[in-house]
Each structure stands twice: as structure tokens, then as C-alpha cells.
Amino acid sequence: MKIVSIENLTKRFKAVTAVDKLNLTIFEGEIYALLGPNGAGKSTTINIISGLTTKDEGNIEIFNKDMNRDSNEIKKHIGIVPQELAIYEDLTAYENVSFFASLYGLRGAVLKNNIMEALGFVGLIEKAREFPRQFSGGMKRRLNIACAIAHMPRLIIMDEPTVGIDPQSRNHILSSVKRLNSMGCTVIYTSHYMEEVEEICSRVGIIDHGRLIAEGTKEQLKAIITDKNNFIITVNSSENIRLEELKAIQGVFSAVIENNLVKISSVKEINNLDKIILYLSSKGVSINNVESKTPDLETVFLTLTGRKLRD
């Protein structure tokens, strides 16, 4: 089922086209990473989906409802974790969650129950009566998430939820995202930390100059920029290895020996690692390690946009 369907979305700010005929589909149950360099149109797209910014052109359906006609109904089922903290330091953690949950119409026993569940979910139940000004940066981020999930949304938009926090809090938040997803929430996730995307996201869309330039699973995106397998084999001695014999193995098109490292590039469609290892063994070579080098998402992003994700 489609949770978000965007067709020809366009948004201009005077002479600047921030989003340019963008087409995007997000399916139920996904953790969808929306990535882009600074100024690519990612934040504008997020704000339009969230209902914080109006579009100029295009169609948006969320939960199979038209955003023009049913925006109020749609917003009831969306949770937003903004990049900038949206909490009140002069309210307790409990009062913060209560305030945001009440905006979605929660009242009475349901409100109280959901507040405690949300605080428990992010590990702050013991801090319920304390003020956020006493919290660490990571605890404030977790409270931000509790405020966004207390009304039990179907779609959660998380805009760089781990900026500027310690590794322990980051791990807690990533675990929370996966738990929310396992409970049936669809997640749109943005980050400047590609390792987070690698760990939790099921599909990735890359935006640049206001358009979707690549989309797919992590494996599909990595396949875009490579048509070969790269092996690095650590051996005890390379003395008996003959490069011309290695290159004669089907699929191998380059081989280099650097001290005790044998670096081989091979056609991706041919599985020949077993033949390479068999050759080395036949030469009396002891193999200490075999490493398959594939491009990571950071390399894909740099190749497609010309910029690093954190630039």
C-alpha cells in the first residue's frame, strides 16, 4: 500500500526552484531514507509532506487521501520529529508530551496512558517530572521523539534526529526507529550520517537540484556505480604467484600484487572467487584473509551528486 504518493511536486522561492517536478512513492512499512546535499530540496519536500509549507504545483496523496482536500485528517496520523528541538524547557517531560499529544485530540485516561507509554518507549519514564533544561542533548532528542509518537501516528517523519548527540543516545534512537517500524509505523528518515542509513533504512531516495536522481534498496544503489567485484586477499607470501596466470582465470580483468596483498578486479556477473582461491592454494600460498570491497552508500552519494553527504 502506498503511504505517500507525490507527482510532479514543484516549489519555488522567488527565482529559486527548490523542488522541481519531484515524483516519489513511499510504501507502508518502509524506513525510507530521503537524502540530499544542502540546498537539494530535501528539507522543502519534508516540510511540504508535513504540511508546514505549501506547494506550488503537483499532487500529493498520503494514506490514499488528497492533501488539498483532507489535510486535517492526514495530519492526525503523522508524527514529526524536527531537526530543531521542539520542546519547552519550562515544562516537565510529562507536560511536554501531554501538550503535543493534546493537539491531536487525546484526552483523559487515553492521554495519560499514551504519555507514559511514549516516555517509557524512549527510556525517560523516570524523568517524567523533571525539566528538559536538566537533560543531556541525547535525552532532549529522545523527549522530542516521545512528543511525536504519543498519538500513535501511522507515518513518522524524522529530520536528522541524531544531530549533535553522544553515541549511546544515537544507538538508543536508532533502536527506537526500528522498534517503531516493527510496530507498523512507516518512517521517513533524513540524516547526514550515512552509517545510520546503512543500518536502519530499507530504501533510499537521493534528491539533488530538486529532483529525485536515484532510488532503490541499498544494494540497488550500490550496483549503479559498479560493474565489478573487487577482492583483496592477504597471503603469507606472494613469491609463487604469477599475475598472468591470475588474469587467465575467467572473469578476472586486473590483478596487482602489493607486498602480501593480492588485489583482483573481476566481472561482477562471474562468480570466480573459488577458482582464485584454488589457484593460490595450488601454488602453496597460505591465505590469511579475503575481503570483498564493494562501494558503500557514501561512495554512491558522492558519485551521483559530486558532494559528500556532510558537505
Side-chain angles (χ1 to χ4, degrees):
M1 174 183 170
K2 295 179 182 178
I3 290 291
V4 178
S5 180
I6 296 173
E7 294 181 355
N8 295 319
L9 180 64
T10 300
K11 178 65 181 179
R12 304 179 187 89
F13 295 98
K14 294 184 179 179
V16 177
T17 301
V19 182
D20 186 12
K21 295 181 174 59
L22 177 69
N23 292 287
L24 182 67
T25 301
I26 298 170
F27 296 95
E28 185 174 21
E30 290 191 305
I31 303 178
Y32 186 96
L34 190 61
L35 307 180
N38 291 333
K42 175 192 62 181
S43 294
T44 302
T45 301
I46 288 290
N47 288 338
I48 293 172
I49 295 172
S50 305
L52 302 175
T53 300
T54 58
K55 61 183 173 61
D56 291 332
E57 298 171 17
N59 299 310
I60 302 177
E61 288 189 358
I62 301 178
F63 315 126
N64 289 325
K65 297 180 183 295
D66 186 273
M67 200 160 187
N68 287 336
R69 296 192 307 266
D70 304 307
S71 61
N72 290 336
E73 180 63 25
I74 288 169
K75 289 176 183 178
K76 291 179 183 178
H77 304 286
I78 296 179
I80 303 169
V81 182
Q83 183 177 345
E84 299 297 327
L85 287 170
I87 55 177
Y88 295 97
E89 303 229 338
D90 54 349
L91 299 178
T92 65
Y94 184 98
E95 290 168 340
N96 265 282
V97 181
S98 176
F99 170 75
F100 285 102
S102 65
L103 296 178
Y104 291 91
L106 273 65
R107 299 289 186 273
V110 173
L111 173 61
K112 292 177 182 178
N113 179 70
N114 284 25
I115 293 169
M116 297 309 288
E117 283 198 5
L119 288 171
F121 186 85
V122 299
L124 291 177
I125 203 158
E126 294 181 358
K127 305 291 184 180
R129 301 302 175 182
E130 296 184 18
F131 292 89
R133 59 175 171 266
Q134 302 169 323
F135 292 179
S136 67
M139 291 168 66
K140 289 179 181 180
R141 288 281 173 188
R142 283 150 58 189
L143 178 58
N144 217 30
I145 293 173
C147 292
I149 66 173
H151 62 295
M152 298 184 176
R154 293 174 59 194
L155 172 65
I156 300 174
I157 300 171
M158 309 188 85
D159 192 5
E160 300 192 33
T162 63
V163 170
I165 63 174
D166 60 275
Q168 184 177 359
S169 293
R170 173 174 285 114
N171 290 337
H172 192 289
I173 288 175
L174 295 180
S175 295
S176 297
V177 174
K178 289 187 279 190
R179 284 171 59 205
L180 285 168
N181 183 246
S182 70
M183 293 163 58
C185 292
T186 301
V187 182
I188 301 176
Y189 194 89
T190 79
S191 177
H192 277 97
Y193 301 102
M194 197 65 86
E195 60 271 22
E196 294 182 359
V197 177
E198 290 266 16
E199 180 178 344
I200 68 171
C201 295
S202 52
R203 206 157 57 96
V204 180
I206 298 176
I207 291 180
D208 201 14
H209 303 294
R211 294 195 173 199
L212 189 69
I213 61 170
E215 183 183 52
T217 65
K218 290 165 280 190
E219 292 72 22
Q220 288 170 338
L221 289 181
K222 291 172 186 178
I224 291 174
I225 65 167
T226 181
D227 58 356
K228 60 186 177 183
N229 290 319
N230 296 306
F231 304 115
I232 298 179
I233 304 173
T234 306
V235 298
N236 66 328
S237 173
S238 60
E239 183 178 351
N240 295 330
I241 302 173
R242 300 291 176 263
L243 289 179
E244 62 274 13
E245 294 174 347
L246 271 176
K247 293 177 183 177
I249 297 173
Q250 184 183 15
V252 173
F253 59 82
S254 82
V256 176
I257 297 174
E258 295 179 2
N259 298 320
N260 288 343
L261 295 179
V262 182
K263 299 182 178 181
I264 298 171
S265 291
S266 178
V267 176
K268 189 172 184 178
E269 289 75 19
I270 298 177
N271 296 317
N272 56 7
L273 182 58
D274 57 337
K275 295 182 176 64
I276 294 169
I277 292 173
L278 183 62
Y279 167 77
L280 295 175
S281 298
S282 72
K283 294 295 183 179
V285 176
S286 294
I287 297 173
N288 298 326
N289 186 58
V290 178
E291 185 178 359
S292 178
K293 297 289 289 182
T294 58
D296 56 17
L297 280 180
E298 190 77 51
T299 304
V300 175
F301 190 88
L302 178 63
T303 301
L304 295 176
T305 68
R307 289 176 278 180
K308 293 183 179 179
L309 188 59
R310 292 185 178 91
D311 286 350

